Amino acid sequence: MITLDADSRLAVGHLIVRQENEDEYVVGDPATGTFVVVPELGARLVELFAAGRTVAEAAMALEQETGEPIDALDFAEVLVEAGIINDQAEAARAKVWSVSRIPAWVVRPLFGKVAWTFYAGCLLTTLWMFVAEPSLRPTYEDTFVFPDIAASLLLTNVVVVLLTILHEIWHAFAGAAVGVPSQLRLERRGVFPVLETDLSGLWALPPAKRYGPFLAGMGIDSVILFAAVAPRYAWSHGWIELPPGLIRILAMVVLSQVAKLAFQTLAYLRTDMYLVMATATGCNNLHQVTRLSLKRLVRNLRPDEAVILRDANPRDLRVARWYRLLYLAGLIWMVFFALQFVLPSAKVALGWSLGILFGAPIASFYWWEGLLLISFTLLDVTLPLFVVVRNRIRARRAVA
């Protein structure tokens, strides 16, 4: 940790200072994705630090400009505590995913007007096919591609993982197109384990330039969904012939992509659409403010939570009044999805695997298949718990 005093000179040449709203500025390192929101005086202090002024000199200069005493040392310590200025800054800026290093001109055509028209066209055409041919809509049975349940779930898990990686790569491509580095990490959203592309550097850009990277994953998901539905639509009308096995695999892909796109609309889980909404409304901490405002309705807040809500940006408080409805709607949708898809699939899978384990000879092929299926189920349950424990350990280490 850097030790500061009145004679300290801060290395802030790597920081950006950008006005976010009328009375707020974003200060941070776009390479590491670490940002803080400061008032106009804070932004001016960073400019003075960048000009080579010591902490004391910057405070004196700003006091002469405003006529009021300024605690520049306290502000500098805030930047250090936030991780914007520290001894590991250079190493942290080097830790970016290789996809981020792709030149912007290579991937920029994937996110131009023509590309976004194509993405939107794929999604709208798919929705039309679902309306015209209801049999194409996904059901939980589409998970089971083969009569062998273990083989079906193995294939489904592999496909879901590959398509999820593609979704995140598209986020990274979109970030690279606007010059923002990214990192891929394992996180959770509610009860769901997720891969996440960290594009925190987008907050260094004007709001209008953030929407493309935020929506990029849904764009490629719409293309994959169309590519899986269109052949089945053509087959159902007798225009083409498809093997039965391929039809079932395409149905499984449709289920995966519909679930993924629906998941991204769950703004209360801080998904892609949440980022779009937060940007459009100009909010800084909408998710936490909304959660705490709802929690306050049913139980008392902890002292630290009460302070967060008390000091929240007025804009966040205003938006949270109607965002609560979306938050609650998301919770209801997650329960619905669990009842309609997750639990029926788990019931079939667990029933089959337990029957095999107790009925098949130990160490036989079918016995191992049943064990593999139970392992998949346990992984789905324990992975979000692992992420929670990991994040808490990291938070404690950061405080220490």
Side-chain angles (χ1 to χ4, degrees):
M1 178 69 71
I2 298 175
T3 302
L4 300 176
D5 57 34
D7 295 324
S8 298
R9 296 183 189 274
L10 278 67
V12 296
H14 62 285
L15 301 184
I16 61 98
V17 179
R18 184 182 58 76
Q19 187 170 4
E20 179 74 2
N21 298 302
E22 183 177 352
D23 55 352
E24 293 179 341
Y25 288 74
V26 171
V27 175
D29 184 348
T32 63
T34 306
F35 297 90
V36 292
V37 177
V38 302
E40 184 177 0
L41 291 180
R44 177 60 180 145
L45 277 175
V46 174
E47 292 178 355
L48 292 170
F49 293 151
R53 305 288 184 92
T54 66
V55 171
E57 291 169 347
M60 184 178 299
L62 196 53
E63 183 175 348
Q64 291 174 350
E65 293 177 10
T66 63
E68 299 179 358
I70 303 296
D71 192 345
L73 180 59
D74 180 69
F75 177 76
E77 290 174 343
V78 168
L79 297 182
V80 173
E81 291 174 2
I84 294 175
I85 304 172
N86 56 63
D87 295 331
Q88 304 300 322
E90 198 63 38
R93 284 193 292 276
K95 293 180 180 179
V96 293
W97 195 25
S98 59
V99 172
S100 307
R101 301 176 187 275
I102 294 177
W105 65 267
V106 174
V107 291
R108 194 173 290 135
L110 299 174
F111 308 101
K113 291 183 179 179
V114 173
W116 283 111
T117 301
F118 177 66
Y119 297 149
C122 285
L123 180 59
L124 292 175
T125 304
T126 300
L127 293 176
W128 177 83
M129 288 188 288
F130 281 156
V131 172
E133 191 65 55
S135 64
L136 299 178
R137 300 171 191 172
T139 67
Y140 82 89
E141 290 96 340
D142 293 333
T143 301
F144 307 108
V145 178
F146 310 117
D148 189 319
I149 295 179
S152 295
L153 292 184
L154 179 61
L155 176 62
T156 299
N157 276 271
V158 170
V159 170
V160 167
V161 169
L162 292 177
L163 292 178
T164 299
I165 292 174
L166 179 62
H167 174 102
E168 299 305 326
I169 286 177
W170 230 249
H171 280 304
F173 280 168
V178 293
V180 173
S182 57
Q183 289 179 298
L184 188 65
R185 62 192 182 191
L186 178 66
E187 288 294 340
R188 72 178 181 92
R189 293 291 179 266
V191 298
F192 305 110
V194 297
L195 284 174
E196 178 182 83
T197 303
D198 183 0
L199 285 167
S200 301
L202 288 174
W203 299 108
L205 303 179
K209 291 188 176 181
R210 302 175 199 162
Y211 294 116
F214 287 155
L215 293 170
M218 297 180 70
I220 193 62
D221 284 343
S222 298
V223 174
I224 299 300
L225 177 60
F226 172 79
V229 174
R232 294 177 64 220
Y233 181 85
W235 171 81
S236 68
H237 285 73
W239 300 340
I240 61 174
E241 290 293 331
L242 294 176
L246 178 58
I247 294 173
R248 291 193 295 271
I249 291 174
L250 291 175
M252 178 266 292
V253 173
V254 170
L255 173 60
S256 168
Q257 294 304 96
V258 167
K260 191 182 301 179
L261 285 167
F263 175 81
Q264 296 301 337
T265 66
L266 299 183
Y268 84 102
L269 288 177
R270 292 168 294 156
T271 56
D272 296 345
M273 288 306 298
Y274 166 77
L275 296 173
V276 170
M277 185 181 303
T279 299
T281 56
C283 291
N284 298 323
N285 193 21
L286 179 60
H287 180 268
Q288 188 175 35
V289 170
T290 302
R291 182 178 62 82
L292 293 179
S293 65
L294 286 172
K295 182 179 178 180
R296 186 174 57 181
L297 297 177
V298 296
R299 58 182 294 186
N300 293 329
L301 299 178
R302 298 195 311 267
D304 60 315
E305 293 175 331
V307 170
I308 292 174
L309 206 55
R310 183 198 67 196
D311 297 338
N313 189 300
R315 187 182 301 101
D316 287 26
L317 293 171
R318 287 196 302 270
V319 175
R321 295 192 187 107
W322 58 263
Y323 179 68
R324 297 175 192 174
L325 299 178
L326 294 179
Y327 192 101
L328 293 174
L331 288 173
I332 294 171
W333 185 92
M334 187 170 67
V335 172
F336 170 79
F337 184 82
L339 293 176
Q340 291 293 115
F341 293 94
V342 177
L343 291 182
S345 298
K347 182 179 179 181
V348 172
L350 286 176
W352 184 89
S353 59
L354 289 175
I356 291 296
L357 283 178
F358 287 107
I362 295 178
S364 66
F365 174 80
Y366 287 108
W367 186 89
W368 285 111
E369 208 171 40
L371 187 62
L372 178 64
L373 191 54
I374 287 181
S375 298
F376 274 131
T377 304
L378 291 177
L379 181 63
D380 289 338
V381 172
T382 58
L383 198 53
L385 180 61
F386 163 77
V387 174
V388 170
V389 173
R390 183 205 64 186
N391 288 349
R392 288 186 177 179
I393 292 174
R394 288 180 177 177
R396 289 176 182 174
R397 288 177 178 173
V399 172

